[in-house]
Amino acid sequence: MSTPGLGDVTRGRVLFGGDYNPEQWPEETWQEDVRLMKEASVTSVTLGVFAWAKLEPRPGAREFGWLDRVMALLHAHGIGVVLATPTSSPPPWLGRLHPDTLPRDRDGRTEWWGGRQHFSHSSAAYRRHAAAITEDLAARYGDHPALTMWHVNNEYCTYDWGDEAAGAFRRWLRDRYGTLDALNAAWGTAFWSQGYGDWAEVLPPRRAHYLNNPAQVLDFRRCTSDLLLECYVAERDIVRRYSPGVPVTTNFMPLGAGQDAWRWAREEDVVSVGLSPDPRDPLGAQYGALVQDLTRSQARGPWMLMEQAAGAVNWRGVNHPKPRGLNRLWSFQAVARGADAVCYFQWRQSRQGAEKFHSGMLGHAGEQGRTYREVRELGAELARVGGEISGRHAPAEVAVLHDWHAWWAGTQDGRPSREVDPAEVVRAWHRALWEARIGTDFAHPGYDLSAYPLVVVPQLYLLTDAAIDNLVGYVRGGGTLVSGFLTGIADRDDRIRPGGMDARLRELFGIRTLHEWWPLDPGEHAECDGFRGTLWSEEIEAGDGVAHARYRGGELDGLPAVLRRGRAWYVSTLPAPDALRDLLTDVAAGAGVRPVLDGLPARVEAVRRQDLLFLLNHGRDPVTVAVPGTHRDLLTRRRVTDAVELDRYGVAVLAP
Amino acid sequence: MSTPGLGDVTRGRVLFGGDYNPEQWPEETWQEDVRLMKEASVTSVTLGVFAWAKLEPRPGAREFGWLDRVMALLHAHGIGVVLATPTSSPPPWLGRLHPDTLPRDRDGRTEWWGGRQHFSHSSAAYRRHAAAITEDLAARYGDHPALTMWHVNNEYCTYDWGDEAAGAFRRWLRDRYGTLDALNAAWGTAFWSQGYGDWAEVLPPRRAHYLNNPAQVLDFRRCTSDLLLECYVAERDIVRRYSPGVPVTTNFMPLGAGQDAWRWAREEDVVSVGLSPDPRDPLGAQYGALVQDLTRSQARGPWMLMEQAAGAVNWRGVNHPKPRGLNRLWSFQAVARGADAVCYFQWRQSRQGAEKFHSGMLGHAGEQGRTYREVRELGAELARVGGEISGRHAPAEVAVLHDWHAWWAGTQDGRPSREVDPAEVVRAWHRALWEARIGTDFAHPGYDLSAYPLVVVPQLYLLTDAAIDNLVGYVRGGGTLVSGFLTGIADRDDRIRPGGMDARLRELFGIRTLHEWWPLDPGEHAECDGFRGTLWSEEIEAGDGVAHARYRGGELDGLPAVLRRGRAWYVSTLPAPDALRDLLTDVAAGAGVRPVLDGLPARVEAVRRQDLLFLLNHGRDPVTVAVPGTHRDLLTRRRVTDAVELDRYGVAVLAP
Amino acid sequence: MSTPGLGDVTRGRVLFGGDYNPEQWPEETWQEDVRLMKEASVTSVTLGVFAWAKLEPRPGAREFGWLDRVMALLHAHGIGVVLATPTSSPPPWLGRLHPDTLPRDRDGRTEWWGGRQHFSHSSAAYRRHAAAITEDLAARYGDHPALTMWHVNNEYCTYDWGDEAAGAFRRWLRDRYGTLDALNAAWGTAFWSQGYGDWAEVLPPRRAHYLNNPAQVLDFRRCTSDLLLECYVAERDIVRRYSPGVPVTTNFMPLGAGQDAWRWAREEDVVSVGLSPDPRDPLGAQYGALVQDLTRSQARGPWMLMEQAAGAVNWRGVNHPKPRGLNRLWSFQAVARGADAVCYFQWRQSRQGAEKFHSGMLGHAGEQGRTYREVRELGAELARVGGEISGRHAPAEVAVLHDWHAWWAGTQDGRPSREVDPAEVVRAWHRALWEARIGTDFAHPGYDLSAYPLVVVPQLYLLTDAAIDNLVGYVRGGGTLVSGFLTGIADRDDRIRPGGMDARLRELFGIRTLHEWWPLDPGEHAECDGFRGTLWSEEIEAGDGVAHARYRGGELDGLPAVLRRGRAWYVSTLPAPDALRDLLTDVAAGAGVRPVLDGLPARVEAVRRQDLLFLLNHGRDPVTVAVPGTHRDLLTRRRVTDAVELDRYGVAVLAP
């Protein structure tokens, strides 16, 4: 039997809807909900994400009646249900009965119930109770006609430094290393007298007097991702048993730090994500694009925007609402980048609880509120055009490499510069490509990259031998590679490679000696030929690499800033945004990669999804976009020739 | 028998004195103390605030001899004693014997002895020992001729998240809600799967993975205030039994966050407060005025300035002394606003301990020090004029509404803007009235407001149904009401009201739909007709309210910023200080409320206390103040006609 | 038998080398290490600092084979070994077997293994195991021919608030005070009801609700220094037993806060320190000079620069490498100030562990790297000239007084200004002297100061009676004393002295009354005659002191800012750097103290070490320095007459 996927749910549509928590409302409200959902063209809702205590109010109890009624009601109105396992927020009784289910932080402090996600991924009691409720839920609703998808848990992102987690960590380490000798070697425990003589001595990296062992911290993060994945897989396998044809997902945090998403995505039938850029962030749209590119790349096809905000969120310092039109614009941006589902947290804004100030599709202002009215218009629009969009997949020509292991290793204490945040470096490089209007995928450094004319490595501090061979082979095979600094520094175990950077990479880029890193202070610049570098600079002695740009002035005067050897480029600083954009535009052109569209106005984005061309005006002023030839705009249903008018936050979806 | 009050102590005087801790000094110093007190016209000292370990050095021991001698000495010199129960700082032996008397913080960390206030309000052992020492103290001194007042504990302000406190919280919740169903409904536990099935599952809002339940946090703060009040009442009732004619007080922290002071004040015979504005704060005098207005309103009559600093405090980052004259000026400001006691922490500056850098009436520099010399002059002055001031009460024409429950609910995590601090908003509105020279009371939103021509609501995020009806009825009855934003948003349980703001209030102000809140970033402004708003703005659709001022430019262009419907005004942003002052001046004039005095120079404050007019020059330059007619200045004992000269920090007290 | 000293190790050389951790590397690397050490003229390496787990991988095991081989190899190549006791980082098994060996912080949190220094100084189990491994190490290598020095533990700096530490604290307090009455008096426990009735009630100053008792905190820091010293002495005595002729050291942290270094230095045969100023700090060289002056003064003769960084460190936010030449310059600066050993952390940069980004003499770039090449050149140079430098001691004419007890007492919470950091004040005064080109020693306030024409007290908040008498006697005996503010405020027990400042000192400086302190806000200035004061000002009434400069404007207008009575000067503010430099230049001249050299260019430092004159160019531009007469430059081996040319970061060592 083939694996089910998002296409089995969308069936030619772009799904529209959101999280629905009817258990927070009296049943009379449900009728109004369904009426307003229908008016808003809602086709999919996610139920039960935080319903464990409603389903199992006492240990072993089962209260399915209310859920039966909601499922029936939704089904009666043709609204599909993504049913969640409720395991991300256990009921209070679980913590009381089994205090060992509560996580401990690095300082030994308990994370109590009263919020959410107060479960230890390693707790046997938690896993047992989570499996039981999942099993019963799957048994009851596995073949319910409203069921379209399973959603396991929610935003996996927790850590545990406690004793039971220590046991799980040791088990994981035994699997990885086999012997203590191997662990001691991998962790470099000869440093600071940390040699382990007994497995029982091995602990999570708890609070220490001074810096923790970085390899231990790295493995703890790897292990945490894997233990959470065990939790996911256990529940996934249960629901699959009961409904083999129903796809399973769990929603990622955008560019979340906690999960090795490449590995996780392989275990999902549908890749989904939550995404709520700050409406005030001038680069909010670029951040959205990055998350969308990353999610599409993880999905290797259409994906699900599981949770966005119709208006303001409630977790920033100042939570700005979405100005008129922005919700529509950013929704179409996601669709342009492969989303076949546009969903929200949440349908009806809560009146109580910690997220009562997080907007909903139906806000506190109700159906007269601007937010709901815009939601309704968007729903209608997606319903109308979804059929001509859904299902298309359009990989890009450029791959940006990203790897969680490198990120984890590259963000530890005691590194050359705390100013260097790998995630920010990825954002800077993606921004350069985005502003160059070059479409990008993301990829793991170990993937087959041969289909990409251009591969970009913003920063991969840690690279395995296999990944390095992969990159070298890629260039040897005709590919063009651009790498930023701090790439290939450490091996799999976060061991610094001889010479301070892998010898194969140094050869690839034509570097003879990497003498010293010269990280830059906040606000400091390194003058280079034609641009200014920020964040970092390097004292490099070139081998047979050619200096494309040199440092000018200061201690590095005359040394190469950008080094090139054939199709391999090395950028030893972070050029200012325009400079990096121009550099990548040139390198891409050399590799035969062109912008999506030429001559675009400043704030307009163009995205291709197979034969469809999405034009998105991120500005508040109307603009005219030159588009050679004649197209049909799916939204206006009009033909346009050579030019398209876009209103403030306007969108066009042009078909040939 | 009628309740004793402050008048029974002052007997026509303005009390002058401070905390006196003779136990820190050898007995030979006491003689010098009394001599210098007499020279400084001291009439009242507070004894024993931190004397528990001296009184009960071992469990059950009683060492009253030293206190007998001090009381006798003071009595012999005609100095009255406010005797404190020493229960705010238990002796070390109590913590050692009963570790359960030590509070735990939100993270589970113990608060050990070695500082002060290391008692759990919920600890049965603490309460038992506190009652015992209080009982014996009251039995011994209840009819002592020096005794003028009882002072219970000190600055109640502690929290406890520990296990015994959890039990007390559950007891309090059972009293409040009766059933778990009611609690689950009030707390909205359907959100995030927090439904409680057993009382034993209910905990204080301890450290959680993510946001705590806000209704739980709110009730925890309510319960904390009530448990502390239980402690107070228990001790009060004991001392009352032994000295029914002696009034009882406990000192509030200025605008303190921990106690529902409206409720507490009802349990006190004398309302007292500590107040030490930063001498460097350009708005220090306004802050003082606010605390004084609030305290007078709680007292509904004369009150006691229990603790101010003669010079520098020691708890700021940089602790500035009081420039020459400022101590006198701020003391008279308190008297102008109803204080019948001007007292200090403390008489003689400590040489040891955590507050040895907090000034005293008699500082380290001794009787030659400038501070003591100014104290002595002030004492003499108050002794001379007190008889013509004491006992007068003068309510104001404007009531500013403030409520602790609204404050607690409005300062939680996950709210629209962390920049909005309800206490700061109150300060901003009070400042506007202060700068408009309009005298103000404070009032609880549930009080009878009909005597006030004008009521001002800076911000009451949470309002009960009864309070809303009270406000609506007040306007209907002819009152003028001005409300700031974020008022009437939540009900008693912090449940957002339908429409995002109470429907009765929306009708009152003429608001059809409150679409979205648009909080402003720090430093951001919202341009409005004639002024700039800060902190907040709103997307409002007016009903039959009339826009007094509109937003100009930006996303809210043309929408109402200030809305008026008859005598009800709604201000949806925080106008810049001058603008808010002018707005309130106009609205007050419309309600028939005039400034205390017209044509006052910039830094001069005028306060009426019945037929007395206090003029206070907060500037360092001498000024002339026009005062029509002829008055007698109590301080200079001269008649003044049409104008009064005020020196730097000068004061005049004009009688008809 | 006379005590061995550094001279027994240097034997006429300046030692060169660093920490060597061969246990982190395969044995084949050792051969390369030794080859490169020899090429770099390395004469001394420190072994075993973090080798406990290698030496004792299981409780009681002994693995000395690898160390035997390393010692033999080094000896064969003529490289001396400073052998460390490995007790600063116990193996994991110790924590597992004896959880009581793990320290607890103020909040009760355990400091786990997995970093370093996770030992409680008070743990009997720790001390027992530390003694055992030390004993066996000493027995085995005590007469090894490669052994030149013992290095006990490493950078003692840990605290412990746990239960066993509480017991040790009580023991220390009983020794100090004898009776609880004496302790209660010294701690001023009458304040805040802290009187102790039983020793068992006395605790370390753990987390409290509000401010901890400052005398308790002070004693806790004293006790911590003493308990760590006990650990040191215990190990020192063991190794001395086995090798009585081998000197013993432990390395200080530069201007470290944790140890009373005056007392510690007396217990060392060799005083050593680590020092790594920020290469980017414009005052990095001055900070280095301060630490060097302090270390030389503690050593009372030549000392050992135990650990510096050849390039970047890894513990700052941004870790800058050393520009070309800076490593040499700062090394010679240390030698100029009496260092007879120039050593590094560490020989070979680690590839793993928490310090893999800390530079080594042999960095990741290897022997081709710039860092190693500069190290090699410096080694050769020191080998060539060391014989003409080593062993010389040159005390200065000015003593700067510094005392840890005053520092500890002066940095507590609740003080007049958190902006006043005694260590920063010392830096400011030392800087003034450094910029005045006046050589300085440091001294304890209780030392015999009569040899110094000038004594400078930047700030000694706490002074014992004996120390005050010492200072008064020093001036009476003809010395010139300059004191900054906040000096002589508290007695030994941190009890404020009557009058707010010791009466003897007030008389010495001609102060009648110290009315109030007027600390200044950050960025605020106090205008004075001819300069601006920062940080602090004071309201002083002069007695027979003469105002050298007065405050101008503001509240202190006309009051003395700098007061002089004969040879005693009191500076009641912190003058701007140039003003303090000029003031001290004048006062020094009056005391007959001249700059090291006149007419020095701005960035050039001159230091005398007996008859040698070191010239150090801290600028990046070449300069010419006028030096009257003819000298021989040890480095160039040329004669120079009347002028010396110094390159960027250039050094000259002129002999007569």
Side-chain angles (χ1 to χ4, degrees), chain A residues 170-205:
Chain A
R170 283 191 283 269
R171 173 169 52 78
W172 184 91
L173 290 166
R174 288 183 99 122
D175 283 353
R176 182 177 180 88
Y177 294 112
T179 68
L180 269 182
D181 283 352
L183 178 141
N184 279 317
W187 285 10
T189 58
F191 189 81
W192 283 358
S193 178
Q194 298 172 351
Y196 295 96
D198 188 316
W199 282 101
E201 294 160 16
V202 182
L203 290 178

Side-chain angles (χ1 to χ4, degrees), chain A residues 342-356:
Chain A
V342 172
C343 298
Y344 294 83
F345 174 82
Q346 60 179 332
W347 163 249
R348 185 186 277 271
Q349 188 166 10
S350 296
R351 291 181 63 198
Q352 296 180 276
E355 295 190 319
K356 62 184 181 291

Side-chain angles (χ1 to χ4, degrees), chain A residues 10 17 31 50 99 115 128 133 159 165 210 250 259 275-276 371 382 402 418 434 437 466 481 484 500 584 593 628 649:
Chain A
T10 57
Q31 298 297 332
F50 293 108
R128 194 169 62 243
I133 187 69
Y159 295 81
Y210 189 39
T250 185
Q259 299 160 279
L275 173 60
S276 295
T371 299
L382 286 173
H402 181 64
R418 263 181 239 147
W434 186 75
R437 284 75 148 80
L481 180 76
L584 289 177
V593 176
Y649 295 153

Side-chain angles (χ1 to χ4, degrees), chain C residues 23-72:
Chain C
E23 69 272 25
Q24 295 175 23
W25 304 93
E27 296 206 17
E28 53 268 31
T29 306
W30 301 359
Q31 298 297 332
E32 188 185 78
D33 283 329
V34 173
R35 173 178 66 80
L36 293 171
M37 284 178 189
K38 293 307 291 181
E39 284 186 18
S41 311
V42 165
T43 51
S44 174
V45 298
T46 301
L47 286 180
V49 176
F50 294 108
W52 193 345
K54 279 286 177 198
L55 297 169
E56 187 175 4
R58 290 163 309 284
R62 291 292 180 268
E63 298 284 352
F64 288 132
W66 66 273
L67 186 53
D68 292 350
R69 294 193 292 282
V70 174
M71 296 277 285

Side-chain angles (χ1 to χ4, degrees), chain A residues 187-509:
Chain A
W187 285 10
T189 58
F191 189 81
W192 283 358
S193 178
Q194 298 172 351
Y196 295 96
D198 188 316
W199 282 101
E201 294 160 16
V202 182
L203 290 178
R206 294 178 179 168
R207 179 181 186 76
H209 175 76
Y210 189 39
L211 304 169
N212 285 94
N213 182 311
Q216 181 185 8
V217 174
L218 173 59
D219 273 351
F220 180 69
R221 299 196 71 165
R222 285 168 166 153
C223 169
T224 297
S225 174
D226 287 354
L227 290 172
L228 290 170
L229 187 57
E230 278 182 15
C231 292
Y232 164 78
V233 166
E235 297 186 23
R236 181 202 63 188
D237 289 350
I238 291 169
V239 299
R240 264 199 190 154
R241 247 192 297 123
Y242 287 92
S243 40
V246 176
V248 186
T249 190
T250 185
N251 54 336
F252 289 152
M253 315 267 281
L255 198 58
Q259 299 160 279
D260 176 356
W262 295 122
R263 178 149 183 208
W264 278 68
R266 292 202 309 264
E267 305 288 345
E268 294 186 288
D269 300 320
V270 171
V271 172
S272 61
V273 75
L275 173 60
S276 295
D278 188 346
R280 274 299 177 85
D281 182 355
L283 289 172
Q286 180 259 316
Y287 177 65
L290 184 161
V291 171
Q292 294 155 12
D293 287 336
L294 181 59
T295 308
R296 183 189 61 249
S297 303
Q298 288 157 353
R300 300 176 179 239
W303 53 280
M304 180 169 191
L305 177 54
M306 176 73 87
E307 291 186 343
Q308 64 174 340
V313 300
N314 73 323
W315 40 265
R316 294 194 172 95
V318 177
N319 296 291
H320 300 284
K322 280 183 166 162
R324 179 175 50 81
L326 191 64
N327 179 25
R328 174 178 181 258
L329 175 69
W330 284 0
S331 296
F332 271 105
Q333 188 193 30
V335 172
R337 279 191 164 70
D340 273 359
V342 172
C343 298
Y344 294 83
F345 174 82
Q346 60 179 332
W347 163 249
R348 185 186 277 271
Q349 188 166 10
S350 296
R351 291 181 63 198
Q352 296 180 276
E355 295 190 319
K356 62 184 181 291
F357 292 117
H358 190 296
S359 61
M361 301 168 79
L362 183 64
H364 292 314
E367 58 183 302
Q368 298 312 317
R370 174 175 64 80
T371 299
Y372 174 74
R373 294 195 316 243
E374 291 192 39
V375 160
R376 198 173 53 195
E377 287 162 23
L378 175 62
E381 211 167 12
L382 286 173
R384 206 172 66 234
V385 304
E388 298 190 74
I389 299 172
S390 179
R392 284 166 161 81
H393 180 45
E397 290 177 296
V398 177
V400 175
L401 303 193
H402 181 64
D403 180 29
W404 273 260
H405 299 246
W407 188 6
W408 295 330
T411 46
Q412 300 207 9
D413 292 335
R415 63 189 195 271
S417 171
R418 263 181 239 147
E419 301 299 313
V420 177
D421 173 344
E424 288 302 311
V425 173
V426 167
R427 285 187 71 166
W429 282 74
H430 183 275
R431 174 187 174 184
L433 290 161
W434 186 75
E435 292 184 343
R437 284 75 148 80
I438 293 173
T440 57
D441 280 354
F442 278 82
H444 182 274
Y447 286 180
D448 176 5
L449 304 166
S450 57
Y452 293 106
L454 176 62
V455 167
V456 168
V457 182
Q459 180 170 108
L460 287 169
Y461 159 77
L462 177 155
L463 279 172
T464 63
D465 284 337
I468 290 173
D469 289 340
N470 190 44
L471 296 184
V472 172
Y474 165 74
V475 176
R476 199 168 292 147
T480 297
L481 180 76
V482 190
S483 175
F485 60 85
L486 269 179
T487 290
I489 307 307
D491 70 11
R492 198 194 62 163
D493 299 326
D494 193 14
R495 189 184 286 107
I496 303 295
R497 292 187 177 272
M501 180 181 179
D502 184 80
R504 287 158 291 185
L505 290 180
R506 277 186 281 131
E507 191 196 339
L508 183 68
F509 297 123

Side-chain angles (χ1 to χ4, degrees), chain B residues 24 50 53 89 109 112-116 280 314 317 319-321 351-352 356 364 368 370-371 620 648, chain C residues 107 185-186 191-194 201 206-207 213 414-416 418 494 496 499 515-516 519 521 524 539 555:
Chain B
Q24 295 174 23
F50 294 108
S89 196
R109 297 177 297 192
W112 295 87
W113 62 89
R116 71 181 204 190
R280 273 299 178 84
N314 72 324
N319 296 292
H320 300 285
R351 292 180 62 198
Q352 296 181 277
K356 63 183 180 290
H364 292 315
Q368 297 311 318
R370 173 175 66 79
T371 298
R620 300 194 186 191
R648 155 205 167 103
Chain C
D107 288 340
F191 188 81
W192 283 359
S193 178
Q194 298 172 353
E201 294 159 18
R206 294 178 179 168
R207 179 181 186 77
N213 181 312
R415 65 188 195 271
R418 263 181 239 147
D494 194 13
I496 303 295
H515 286 287
E516 294 285 353
D521 282 328
E524 190 186 354
E539 186 176 350
E555 292 290 324

